[in-house]
Amino acid sequence: MRSVIHFVFFFIIVFNEAQVNGTLNNKRFPDDFKFGVATASYQVEGAWNEDGKGENVWDQVTHRVPSPIVNNDTGDVACDSYHKYKEDVAMLKDLGVDFYRFSISWSRILPTGFANEINEAGLQYYKNLVKELRANGIEPLVTIFHWDQPQPLEDLGGWTNDIIIDQFVDYARILFRELGNEVKYWLTFNEPKQTCNQGYGTAQKAPLITSPGMGEYLCTHNLLRAHAKAWRLYDEEFRQEQQGTIGITIDTPWFEPFSNSTADIEAAETKLQFTFGWYTNPIVYGDYPSVMQTNIARRSAQQGFKESRLPQFTEEEKAYIKGTYDFLGVNVYTTFLVSSTDEPDPSMGLDEDSEVLDWQPDDWESTASSWLKVVPWGMRKLVTWIKNTYDNPKIMITENGYSDNGTLEDDGRISYYERYLSSLRDAMELDGVDVIAYTAWSLMDNFEWMQGYSEKFGLYHVDFNSPNRERTAKKSALWYKNLLETRCLVEECVD
Ligand SMILES: *[C@@H]1O[C@H](CO)[C@@H](O)[C@H](O)[C@H]1NC(C)=O
Ligand SMILES: *[C@@H]1O[C@H](CO)[C@@H](O)[C@H](O)[C@H]1NC(C)=O
Ligand SMILES: *[C@@H]1O[C@H](CO)[C@@H](O)[C@H](O)[C@H]1NC(C)=O
Ligand SMILES: *[C@@H]1O[C@H](CO)[C@@H](O)[C@H](O)[C@H]1NC(C)=O
């Protein structure tokens, strides 16, 4: 009886505003389409120095005095998922997700970053998590690297030193060997643009290096070669026996031309190439986008450099990197407008090198995050552009989500998910985009990087003032649960 009352109550509150909105796509999601939720190790695990874990760059940055993080927050405890993973899996089970995307902390497995010594306790944590997921019928989707390189490798230059390529591949090999019988979906990297541009260019993410127009290109050059080597390792030594699949997650906003002028349309395409193409063009076609090569070579010469600041792949490397994906993971949250300019900024930096302007109008619907405006139609345009630009790849949306103040009555989040998913469904139905999965960011409120705990993305609320870190389902969790049961965005779908 109680559950019937709950259900009726839920139906009334959730469907009152959501229902029968003529603008939402009314086609059911296909039977083989997968829904999941995501987290990342540093953002949820806590236990930063327990059971032999080594220090990583986020431990290092959050422990600086004065702290660069909002409210001096740290991920030392975060959601305490290291101790509460069974509760997390119970939440996942209750939501009814097909899969859970989480990441592995390199420093938990290899405390120094080097593979000479494996920390068995750290490995055991992930074996336990995977076992618990499997026991509950939930598929693990594992991100091998989500921004938290071991500090001892950072001390040697981190992603700007090419010794990290082989260290990463050694680390990946341990994961394939130890977890690959149970894990069938892998992502090598999460959002490499943030690792490289914000980590080594603009100092907006750990390790907070300021080297615009230089650091991010060196980082990316190593990261792409590490990705390719890990993909080939899996392909050659593990795939046949383990029968899994491996990709990479690349993030981008949609970039919409400000006007229909040829110059603005070209400017928007250039911005997409400098953001998504930077990683995807090498992986799909073997080299950096030509507009990046041209712009950066010309500007480097003007700035007095003997060679382009954009490193070059050898012919052998191009052939080696080309084709190293089974599917493309895409993280998308928002849209920017782009226009051309007659007076490009001559200074060094990724954005400056693109020689276009981008911005978000103030009157676009806002969230708790300054960069995140709600623009549902950008979803369809982006995935359709990816289909047309990269030879119709299989696409997994590996993150999409909305930030607020953590309220349990999170109607804004429900409305965001409805409209973005409707736009995605339109792309599948009307543009034939091959989207195979959708991942909501995030399972629960967590450590939002430089913003600490001030911006909340969770379907579940976490009480960060309580040592027990109690989790509570928000209204959006109930909405997502219903979506996963009906696979339908409106009251009644057509198949
Ligand atoms: C319903 O559609 C209108 C536009 O017709 C839109 O403004 C509104 O946000 C939509 N509601 C939801 C819950 O998506
Ligand atoms: C953060 O730490 C500094 C000391 O480094 C202190 O002065 C400041 O009050 C702290 N801020 C908050 C919000 O706790
Ligand atoms: C560009 O042209 C299309 C099709 O004619 C039109 O729908 C759209 O509103 C135009 N966009 C701008 C920004 O003028
Ligand atoms: C959080 O946001 C909700 C919904 O916008 C609002 O009703 C509530 O007052 C806010 N709470 C705080 C503490 O700001």
Side-chain angles (χ1 to χ4, degrees):
M1 190 58 196
R2 239 190 92 157
S3 68
V4 171
I5 291 169
H6 267 150
F7 180 76
V8 169
F9 176 65
F10 158 66
F11 192 84
I12 291 167
I13 58 168
V14 174
F15 286 91
N16 249 351
E17 56 249 84
Q19 29 81 356
V20 230
N21 196 325
T23 64
L24 296 177
N25 186 299
N26 70 346
K27 292 284 185 320
R28 202 177 303 284
F29 280 86
D31 286 341
D32 56 356
F33 188 88
K34 308 285 188 206
F35 284 100
V37 293
T39 62
S41 52
Y42 188 78
Q43 294 177 278
V44 300
E45 284 177 4
W48 80 275
N49 61 355
E50 280 182 52
D51 291 347
K53 178 180 162 294
E55 187 188 41
N56 65 38
V57 290
W58 281 95
D59 298 317
Q60 203 278 342
V61 158
T62 56
H63 293 160
R64 286 186 199 173
V65 180
S67 169
I69 312 290
V70 170
N71 293 325
N72 301 340
D73 287 336
T74 75
D76 289 0
V77 181
C79 306
D80 201 20
S81 287
Y82 187 71
H83 298 113
K84 296 172 79 81
Y85 70 93
K86 287 192 177 175
E87 252 182 70
D88 294 349
V89 175
M91 283 145 59
L92 294 161
K93 171 94 175 165
D94 191 50
L95 280 175
V97 293
D98 298 306
F99 65 92
Y100 178 41
R101 175 178 175 228
F102 63 94
S103 80
I104 293 186
S105 162
W106 188 340
S107 309
R108 220 179 266 296
I109 308 282
L110 303 174
T112 64
F114 291 92
N116 58 318
E117 213 177 301
I118 298 179
N119 178 32
E120 292 296 338
L123 192 53
Q124 193 59 47
Y125 168 68
Y126 297 106
K127 286 184 175 170
N128 293 344
L129 173 56
V130 166
K131 193 169 155 210
E132 187 74 9
L133 288 167
R134 284 261 171 242
N136 285 282
I138 299 162
E139 187 84 42
L141 165 55
V142 173
T143 313
I144 297 174
F145 180 82
H146 198 124
W147 301 1
D148 49 356
Q149 64 268 32
Q151 186 60 35
L153 291 176
E154 190 50 50
D155 292 339
L156 299 174
W159 285 105
T160 64
N161 182 342
D162 65 9
I163 68 156
I164 202 169
I165 297 172
D166 284 340
Q167 308 318 316
F168 175 79
V169 174
D170 287 351
Y171 160 56
R173 179 191 298 277
I174 292 166
L175 302 189
F176 298 150
R177 191 182 68 212
E178 299 289 333
L179 299 168
N181 286 332
E182 300 295 330
V183 174
K184 303 301 165 194
Y185 292 91
W186 298 95
L187 294 161
T188 53
F189 288 93
N190 175 72
E191 301 192 359
K193 185 189 178 214
Q194 307 310 326
T195 298
C196 293
N197 175 232
Q198 299 206 334
Y200 296 92
T202 58
Q204 292 166 290
K205 293 277 182 325
L208 299 181
I209 307 281
T210 304
S211 176
M214 190 61 83
E216 61 258 83
Y217 297 137
L218 297 174
C219 167
T220 293
H221 207 62
N222 292 327
L223 190 149
L224 281 167
R225 291 181 294 172
H227 158 81
K229 206 162 178 179
W231 188 92
R232 294 208 176 274
L233 168 68
Y234 188 81
D235 196 50
E236 285 158 21
E237 296 184 32
F238 294 92
R239 190 195 292 279
Q240 197 174 3
E241 196 192 319
Q242 298 184 349
Q243 298 289 316
T245 177
I246 176 165
I248 180 171
T249 277
I250 300 167
D251 66 299
T252 187
W254 169 246
F255 290 108
E256 175 75 8
F258 171 62
S259 79
N260 279 334
S261 73
T262 309
D264 284 351
I265 291 170
E266 264 176 28
E269 176 70 20
T270 294
K271 193 70 188 176
L272 283 160
Q273 293 297 342
F274 266 81
T275 306
F276 197 75
W278 188 14
Y279 298 94
T280 313
N281 210 76
I283 289 168
V284 176
Y285 297 120
D287 207 351
Y288 294 117
S290 58
V291 66
M292 290 190 77
Q293 297 185 45
T294 311
N295 277 20
I296 300 168
R298 171 174 40 76
R299 289 165 63 90
S300 299
Q302 284 162 357
Q303 289 155 349
F305 290 98
K306 255 192 353 224
E307 288 179 36
S308 177
R309 289 180 279 104
L310 185 71
Q312 287 178 21
F313 295 117
T314 64
E315 291 307 315
E316 208 180 335
E317 284 173 334
K318 288 180 197 173
Y320 188 78
I321 294 167
K322 182 178 171 172
T324 54
Y325 64 102
D326 300 334
F327 59 88
L328 291 180
V330 178
N331 289 0
V332 52
Y333 289 85
T334 194
T335 288
F336 284 75
L337 295 180
V338 183
S339 76
S340 66
T341 171
D342 293 334
E343 293 178 2
D345 183 337
S347 52
M348 277 170 54
L350 177 75
D351 288 344
E352 292 79 357
D353 286 339
S354 73
E355 299 188 328
V356 301
L357 304 178
D358 68 280
W359 73 98
Q360 292 176 311
D362 288 339
D363 62 353
W364 282 5
E365 186 179 336
S366 61
T367 66
S369 306
S370 59
W371 53 273
L372 208 182
K373 298 276 193 183
V374 180
V375 192
W377 49 263
M379 172 68 105
R380 177 175 173 188
K381 290 203 178 193
L382 176 66
V383 295
T384 302
W385 176 82
I386 292 171
K387 175 196 174 190
N388 294 336
T389 309
Y390 301 105
D391 197 20
N392 195 18
K394 282 192 193 316
I395 296 174
M396 274 193 202
I397 301 299
T398 40
E399 283 180 31
N400 178 236
Y402 174 94
S403 65
D404 60 19
N405 63 11
T407 175
L408 294 176
E409 298 290 315
D410 55 342
D411 296 301
R413 177 166 293 108
I414 294 173
S415 173
Y416 176 100
Y417 279 136
E418 276 179 340
R419 289 175 286 156
Y420 271 71
L421 275 162
S422 179
S423 180
L424 183 68
R425 191 70 188 86
D426 285 349
M428 296 164 66
E429 179 197 342
L430 305 171
D431 307 326
V433 184
D434 190 5
V435 187
I436 59 174
Y438 175 88
T439 319
W441 181 273
S442 174
L443 170 61
M444 58 192 152
D445 294 343
N446 58 51
F447 178 81
E448 182 53 23
W449 311 111
M450 307 311 283
Q451 306 309 319
Y453 299 99
S454 66
E455 295 175 10
K456 307 284 178 38
F457 283 84
L459 296 170
Y460 282 77
H461 175 273
V462 177
D463 184 354
F464 293 104
N465 296 317
S466 156
N468 287 328
R469 297 295 193 272
E470 282 88 359
R471 286 95 156 104
T472 309
K474 299 179 189 175
K475 197 167 163 183
S476 60
L478 302 179
W479 176 85
Y480 201 52
K481 179 184 164 91
N482 182 265
L483 170 70
L484 272 42
E485 275 166 18
T486 62
R487 313 176 74 77
C488 170
L489 292 165
V490 295
E491 208 172 0
E492 266 191 67
C493 265
V494 295
D495 287 305

